[in-house]
Amino acid sequence: VERLKNAVDKAQAKGVRDTLVVMDNVAFVVNVNARTVITAVNQSELKENVFTNIDGAVFASIPAK
């Protein structure tokens, strides 16, 4: 949850309204202002999928130790 929050924070800092966050083989479409996950798609559902109504994307990496 913390990594998703950090990704949304990064999108908000860039002025993104609706973002695609890709993390751990899961894609989330998030409304940044409401901080609400609109859609969550796992890896098996990602193939041949098209994401619309987004104006930014964040690829959330695993934090360094």
Side-chain angles (χ1 to χ4, degrees):
V1 173
E2 190 65 27
R3 287 175 50 216
L4 184 58
K5 178 188 174 302
N6 290 338
V8 173
D9 288 344
K10 287 180 183 179
Q12 187 172 37
K14 294 289 186 177
V16 176
R17 293 180 311 267
D18 292 293
T19 188
L20 173 69
V21 177
V22 179
M23 178 176 65
D24 298 335
N25 298 321
V26 179
F28 301 92
V29 176
V30 180
N31 179 281
V32 174
N33 292 333
R35 295 193 167 279
T36 303
V37 174
I38 307 296
T39 304
V41 180
N42 65 28
Q43 185 177 11
S44 65
E45 297 170 325
L46 279 174
K47 295 179 182 177
E48 305 291 328
N49 216 330
V50 176
F51 294 94
T52 59
N53 298 325
I54 61 170
D55 58 339
V58 179
F59 292 86
S61 61
I62 297 172
K65 293 183 179 185

